[in-house]
């Protein structure tokens, strides 16, 4: 197994324990306390949820990834395919098919995993009334053991045609379910807040919010030292603090940087601060085409504003000085450009400062 893993759910030895939030989530799952898990991308929400679930007793998992859904039938399809992963064997699949009978389900084989997968008829499932069938299925599953339903990337619901209606309809059905626990996880903080507060959703009132921020330094450093030693390297505390700073303490970026450092230090044992910049170079090389695509999609103004934040920092962005240095014409132009960049998840606003979410993108921008 590789010492460092990124871009996937981590478990076992590649998962740094986060006992406090994890045990809280496990006990919420067991007691049926609905929970909203919020945090930036690559912080470790999905890994945490999976790890917390693995410690529950007598619960079954219905894990639904909602990334890139566009229609209600996409939503139903995702739930149906998640349901087919809940159990194995012909009887189980037959049951799933019969629970969803009204949505004319079909059984096929997933080309990636080779596992059977249930999907629903896209025409029949395009209306909110099909939530009824989905919820009724969950209710049947929950007759025996508690079902933990995870809606991951829940903010994607906002991309449906009429999100208010979808949310209202979903929640009105969900609130009567017993023996079920819902975990709503989302990465675009503003969207999650909008759904759970602005829409005054009963989801929110009954759900506890769990923030997944950075892993605390002491635990992460201990974990990273162990992983580096698996790779035959020695990493001091100071060295790792610098690594954490460089990667903005975003769990996935930290692991990516450590992996790059490992690659760049073949044959070496004791790691030194210089090795970090070699690692950064490699990450920039790995990511450059992704960054190119990401920035190609920006307007001229957005790009200028982003470059200015990378080069001069994101404080006092409406000052004449910033506007001039950015090569933009006025404060409203800056405001619009930055607003869109926040919406797209490129920037975030924290303590009166716009910051570039991905530390490697910031570095890359200062070099072009
Ligand atoms: N507890 C953890 N310990 C170590 N690395 C982690 C942990 N959680 C997340 N990561 C790193 O972050 C990456 C993304 O994790 P993931 O759970 O998919 O985040 P999210 O769901 O918030 O986007 C993982 O591939 C891994 O590199
Ligand atoms: Mg995730």
């Amino acid at each position: 197994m590789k010492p460092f893993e990124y871009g996937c759910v981590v478990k076992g030895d590649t998962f740094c324990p986060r006992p406090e939030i994890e045990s809280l989530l496990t006990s919420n799952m067991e007691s049926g306390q609905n929970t909203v898990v919020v945090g930036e991308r690559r912080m470790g929400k999905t890994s945490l949820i999976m790890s917390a679930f693995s410690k529950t007793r007598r619960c079954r998992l219905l894990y639904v990834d909602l990334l890139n859904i566009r229609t209600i039938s996409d939503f139903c399809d995702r739930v149906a395919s998640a349901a087919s992963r809940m159990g194995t064997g012909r009887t189980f699949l037959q049951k799933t098919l019969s629970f969803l009978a009204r949505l004319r389900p079909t059984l096929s084989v997933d080309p990636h995993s080779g596992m059977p997968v249930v999907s629903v008829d896209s025409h029949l499932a395009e209306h909110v009334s099909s939530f009824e069938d989905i919820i009724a299925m969950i209710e049947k599953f929950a007759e025996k053991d508690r079902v933990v339903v995870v809606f991951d990337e829940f903010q994607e619901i906002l991309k449906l045609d009429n999100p208010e209606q979808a949310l209202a309809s979903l929640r009105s059905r969900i609130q009567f379910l017993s023996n079920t626990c819902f975990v709503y996880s989302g990465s675009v903080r503003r969207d999650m807040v909008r759904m759970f507060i602005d829409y005054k959703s009963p989801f929110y009132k009954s759900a506890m919010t769990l923030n997944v921020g950075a892993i605390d330094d002491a635990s992460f450093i201990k974990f990273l030292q162990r992983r580096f030693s698996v790779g035959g390297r020695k990493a001091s505390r100071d060295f790792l603090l610098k690594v954490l700073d460089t990667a903005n303490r975003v769990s996935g970026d930290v692991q990516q940087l450590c992996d790059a450092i490992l690659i760049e230090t073949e044959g070496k044992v004791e790691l030194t601060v210089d090795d970090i910049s070699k690692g950064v170079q490699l990450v920039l090389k790995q990511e450059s085409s992704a960054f190119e695509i990401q920035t190609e999609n920006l307007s001229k103004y957005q790009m200028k504003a982003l470059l200015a934040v990378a080069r001069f920092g994101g404080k006092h962005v409406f000052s004449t000085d910033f506007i001039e240095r950015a090569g933009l014409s006025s404060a409203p132009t800056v405001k619009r450009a930055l607003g869109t960049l926040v919406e797209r998840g490129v920037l975030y606003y924290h303590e009166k400062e716009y910051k570039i979410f991905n530390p490697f993108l910031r570095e890359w921008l200062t070099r072009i």
Side-chain angles (χ1 to χ4, degrees):
M1 195 200 277
K2 279 174 61 181
F4 299 105
E5 286 191 356
Y6 57 93
C8 54
V9 169
V10 284
K11 51 187 171 195
D13 288 344
T14 53
F15 176 83
C16 171
R18 320 180 71 168
E20 272 173 32
I21 46 177
E22 198 183 336
S23 60
L24 179 64
L25 189 53
T26 302
S27 78
N28 281 1
M29 287 171 171
E30 285 186 331
S31 68
Q33 167 67 58
N34 296 344
T35 309
V36 183
V37 175
V38 275
E40 306 298 344
R41 275 160 31 237
R42 298 193 299 275
M43 274 299 184
K45 297 175 298 299
T46 308
S47 303
L48 177 82
I49 292 169
M50 291 308 192
S51 181
F53 178 79
S54 72
K55 302 203 168 109
T56 58
R57 281 157 304 168
R58 288 192 298 279
C59 290
R60 297 173 78 186
L61 177 67
L62 182 68
Y63 172 81
V64 190
D65 186 352
L66 297 175
L67 194 65
N68 293 328
I69 57 158
R70 289 292 177 276
T71 60
I72 288 174
S73 78
D74 288 343
F75 175 92
C76 296
D77 234 12
R78 295 289 173 90
V79 183
S81 74
S84 31
R85 287 192 300 270
M86 274 176 92
T88 46
R90 190 193 286 225
T91 348
F92 173 80
L93 285 170
Q94 268 165 356
K95 262 198 215 161
T96 310
L97 290 168
S98 72
F99 294 159
L100 292 172
R102 267 195 352 168
L103 302 177
R104 241 188 262 152
T106 44
L107 190 62
S108 56
V109 173
D110 177 30
H112 301 295
S113 63
M115 299 296 285
V117 58
V118 175
S119 45
V120 296
D121 184 292
S122 60
H123 290 298
L124 282 172
E126 72 189 340
H127 190 257
V128 283
S129 61
S130 42
F131 288 152
E132 213 165 283
D133 303 78
I134 294 291
I135 300 299
M137 173 186 76
I138 297 175
E139 201 167 16
K140 296 248 176 54
F141 283 138
E143 274 169 8
K144 228 167 102 209
D145 294 318
R146 180 183 299 287
V147 177
V148 175
V149 183
V150 176
F151 286 130
D152 206 351
E153 306 293 352
F154 191 62
Q155 78 286 340
E156 299 283 283
I157 295 264
L158 294 176
K159 294 190 181 150
L160 300 180
D161 269 351
N162 188 344
E164 277 108 306
Q165 189 200 21
L167 277 172
S169 151
L170 198 58
R171 115 194 133 209
S172 66
R173 291 172 167 98
I174 278 176
Q175 61 192 353
F176 300 111
L177 279 180
S178 57
N179 214 22
T180 317
C181 173
F182 286 86
V183 176
Y184 308 96
S185 177
S187 47
V188 185
R189 203 174 281 263
R190 266 175 19 146
D191 285 348
M192 288 297 280
V193 170
R194 216 175 118 204
M195 281 201 287
F196 286 92
I197 298 177
D198 295 359
Y199 290 168
K200 300 197 176 43
S201 150
F203 285 139
Y204 176 70
K205 290 191 200 113
S206 61
M208 176 194 286
T209 303
L210 189 70
N211 267 302
V212 179
I215 300 173
D216 74 277
D217 282 3
S219 316
F220 213 3
I221 287 177
K222 225 165 101 190
F223 165 85
L224 294 169
Q225 281 178 325
R226 254 198 329 270
R227 302 313 295 162
F228 267 121
S229 76
V230 169
R233 312 288 195 283
K234 273 194 190 143
S236 70
R237 187 176 169 278
D238 285 346
F239 170 87
L240 288 170
L241 274 174
K242 190 92 203 300
V243 168
L244 293 179
D245 283 341
T246 310
N248 250 355
R249 288 176 170 70
V250 177
S251 318
D253 293 338
V254 171
Q255 288 235 35
Q256 182 174 9
L257 178 57
C258 289
D259 184 57
I261 293 171
L262 201 68
I263 295 170
E264 291 292 326
T265 55
E266 193 70 60
K268 202 171 165 182
V269 177
E270 203 94 34
L271 298 174
T272 54
V273 173
D274 296 341
D275 299 324
I276 300 177
S277 38
K278 287 187 211 142
V280 171
Q281 300 280 3
L282 179 58
V283 174
L284 294 183
K285 225 189 282 170
Q286 290 166 342
E287 296 298 313
S288 65
S289 45
F291 292 156
E292 273 162 27
I293 294 171
Q294 197 178 356
T295 47
E296 260 167 27
N297 289 328
L298 300 177
S299 75
K300 196 169 71 191
Y301 302 117
Q302 290 155 6
M303 188 63 188
K304 280 185 177 178
L306 181 62
L307 277 171
V309 172
R311 289 174 186 160
F312 320 122
K315 282 186 184 162
H316 312 297
V317 290
F318 304 119
S319 67
T320 335
D321 185 42
F322 183 92
I323 297 169
E324 261 173 30
R325 289 213 277 178
L328 290 164
S329 54
S330 65
T333 323
V334 174
K335 191 163 187 220
R336 249 197 323 274
L338 294 178
T340 313
L341 290 165
V342 169
E343 235 159 62
R344 294 193 180 183
V346 181
L347 296 181
Y348 65 99
Y349 187 68
H350 184 66
E351 291 177 351
K352 299 189 175 163
E353 185 175 355
Y354 285 92
K355 290 186 177 175
I356 296 176
F357 184 71
N358 185 328
F360 303 121
L361 173 64
R362 185 193 58 213
E363 189 65 34
W364 181 79
L365 288 165
T366 60
R367 297 178 187 202
I368 56 172

